């Protein structure tokens, strides 16, 4: 498959190489970590003074690298002391005690190490033990809308937006095209099953698989709604599926560690502090989320728009929380350095009560940080109402906040 340059991530990597830190590309399976890695391989192989040692643990050719000792033996045989060496490993968690092998090459001035992984727990715990404070994570997401257009050679129009909303941004969809829903569904099912089995069930030794699948479906069906372990426990009990609160917490943690979904905390805007209950969950890819829920339903579009707005705020570099101002909820509070934005995400603003809710919720916030409403409302372009700025959904996906 032809490589397509993703400058957002390539620039990040270039800024980190040569700084004496191990670089870890994290994110859900199939969101494009391998694309970013292979693009880096292609560029570094062209350097006259560079020596690339590339290991792809998803390929059978590297099945012989099972433990950290195998890794050291292989890398030692490839190192060229006369050049700058790049040790690049895809799905490094498939190598037992990989962190011991990586430590063997750490702090060598002629070596840079970049690895990818699909489980945050195993990466943070093992690297944190061996290389505390000496590695940097770069979170890789699926395709942005503009990347989606480029990958699939699409024009920016309503049809393309609909495809993005329905099928998400997994780069691996490219060979299949976007005109056969059955083929797309089969691909998404394969990706979901791989995440479920390899990154959750096997890695966490999950025993109650039916409950795990019910929990994931519940989270997908309630994307963007507040939920807690207690509320989920009560719901499952009402469906004659009794589980403990601790089991709910354990499985929710496993789901987020596999990057299938992200837990987003609530933030008290007035008190300037995090709240400890009722997080919301957003999925790493809306195509996977839509597959899990099993088809299109009229009330899903609002959830998907909100999920995509959250994803793109993260892509723009914001630390995103759910806002709480007294009894009023603000969809998102994004912070980046000293920059703060308040955001409401909506599908359509066609009624007065919807307008009052989306714009009105932001108006009581008394600080001077910008406030935005993002929606898919037809013919409602960029505008401002009593200090609150409306941005059309597609404009936001292409240009962010435009500041």
């Amino acid at each position: 498959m032809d490589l397509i340059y993703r400058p957002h991530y390539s620039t990040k990597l270039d800024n980190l190489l040569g700084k004496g830190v191990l670089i870890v590309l994290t994110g859900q399976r199939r969101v494009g970590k391998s694309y970013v890695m292979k693009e880096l391989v292609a560029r570094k192989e062209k350097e006259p003074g560079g020596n690339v040692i590339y290991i792809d643990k998803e390929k059978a050719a590297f099945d012989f690298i099972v433990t950290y000792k195998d890794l050291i033996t292989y890398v030692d045989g490839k190192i060229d002391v006369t050049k700058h060496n790049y040790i690049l490993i895809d799905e490094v968690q498939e190598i037992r005690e990989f962190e011991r092998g990586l430590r063997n090459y750490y702090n060598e001035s002629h070596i840079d190490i970049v690895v990818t992984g699909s489980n945050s727990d195993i990466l943070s715990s093992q690297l944190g033990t061996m290389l505390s404070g000496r590695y940097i994570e770069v979170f890789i997401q699926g395709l942005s809308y503009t990347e989606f257009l480029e990958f699939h050679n699409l024009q920016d129009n309503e049809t393309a937006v609909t495809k993005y909303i329905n099928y998400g941004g997994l780069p691996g969809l490219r060979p299949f095209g976007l005109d056969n829903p059955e083929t797309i569904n089969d691909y998404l099912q394969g990706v979901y099953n791989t995440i479920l089995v390899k990154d959750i069930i096997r890695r966490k030794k999950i025993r109650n698989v039916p409950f795990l699948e019910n929990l994931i479906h519940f989270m997908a069906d309630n994307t963007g709604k507040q939920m807690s372990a207690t509320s989920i426990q009560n719901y499952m009990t009402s469906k004659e599926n009794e589980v403990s609160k601790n089991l709910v917490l354990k499985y929710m943690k496993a789901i987020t560690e596999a990057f299938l979904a992200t837990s987003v905390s609530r933030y008290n805007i007035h008190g300037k502090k995090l709240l400890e209950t009722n997080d919301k969950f957003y999925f790493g890819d809306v195509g996977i989320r839509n597959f899990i829920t099993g088809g299109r339903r009229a009330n899903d579009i609002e959830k998907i728009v909100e999920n995509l707005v959250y994803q793109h705020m993260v892509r723009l570099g914001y630390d995103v929380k759910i806002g709480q101002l007294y009894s009023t909820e603000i969809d998102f509070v994004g912070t980046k350095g000293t920059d703060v934005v308040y955001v409401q995400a909506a599908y359509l603003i066609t009624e007065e009560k919807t307008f009052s809710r989306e714009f009105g919720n932001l108006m009581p916030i008394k600080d001077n940080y910008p406030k935005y409403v993002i929606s898919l409302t037809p013919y409602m372009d960029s505008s401002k109402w009593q200090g609150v700025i409306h941005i059309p959904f597609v404009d936001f996906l292409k240009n962010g906040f435009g500041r």
Side-chain angles (χ1 to χ4, degrees), residues 196-213:
L196 188 69
V197 173
K198 296 190 72 172
D199 296 327
I200 302 178
I201 295 173
R202 287 182 188 170
R203 196 164 298 285
K204 291 298 182 179
K205 298 179 174 58
I206 298 294
R207 295 182 178 180
N208 194 341
V209 175
F211 168 62
L212 172 68
E213 293 187 282

Side-chain angles (χ1 to χ4, degrees), residues 275-287:
L275 302 174
E276 296 180 355
T277 59
N278 296 328
D279 289 0
K280 290 187 176 185
F281 291 84
Y282 296 97
F283 276 71
D285 180 74
V286 295

Side-chain angles (χ1 to χ4, degrees), residues 31-180:
V31 293
K33 299 188 301 294
S34 295
Y35 275 86
V36 175
M37 179 74 85
K38 288 174 182 176
E39 194 276 331
L40 178 63
V41 169
R43 286 193 292 120
K44 295 307 176 184
E45 284 182 337
K46 295 177 183 177
E47 287 186 0
N51 178 46
V52 175
I53 305 168
Y54 177 51
I55 300 169
D56 185 352
K57 277 301 292 174
E58 292 203 317
K59 302 294 185 187
F62 294 98
D63 282 351
F64 67 93
I65 302 179
V66 178
T67 71
Y68 78 95
K69 291 183 179 179
D70 301 327
L71 175 62
I72 291 173
T73 299
Y74 179 77
V75 172
D76 280 351
K78 299 288 184 178
I79 287 283
D80 185 341
V81 295
T82 68
K83 296 183 178 181
H84 190 90
N85 295 270
Y86 298 93
I87 302 174
L88 311 176
I89 309 174
D90 241 339
E91 300 300 343
V92 71
Q93 77 274 1
E94 302 298 330
I95 302 172
R96 289 200 300 270
E97 297 185 281
F98 65 86
E99 70 284 359
R100 296 182 68 177
L102 298 181
R103 188 175 64 171
N104 199 54
Y105 305 101
Y106 189 75
N107 272 342
E108 297 287 343
S109 60
H110 64 293
I111 295 176
D112 270 304
I113 305 172
V114 183
V115 302
T116 78
S118 300
N119 190 284
S120 66
D121 172 60
I122 194 167
L123 289 170
S124 61
S125 61
Q126 292 180 246
L127 288 175
T129 300
M130 290 285 186
L131 297 169
S132 179
R134 294 180 289 180
Y135 72 97
I136 291 180
E137 292 188 30
V138 177
F139 181 55
I140 307 294
Q141 296 174 272
L143 303 176
S144 68
Y145 176 63
T146 53
E147 289 174 327
F148 179 81
L149 296 176
E150 181 182 2
F151 262 63
H152 296 286
N153 195 26
L154 297 174
Q155 297 297 315
D156 176 21
N157 54 34
E158 187 175 336
T159 299
V161 175
T162 301
K163 290 180 184 295
Y164 189 60
I165 287 173
N166 287 335
Y167 303 138
L170 296 185
L173 284 172
R174 188 181 181 214
F176 304 102
L178 298 176
D179 297 322
N180 189 328

Side-chain angles (χ1 to χ4, degrees), residues 339-354:
D339 186 17
V340 179
V341 293
Y342 301 104
V343 176
Q344 290 286 94
Y347 171 39
L348 297 176
I349 303 175
T350 56
E351 299 179 356
E352 183 62 33
K353 65 178 181 180
T354 308

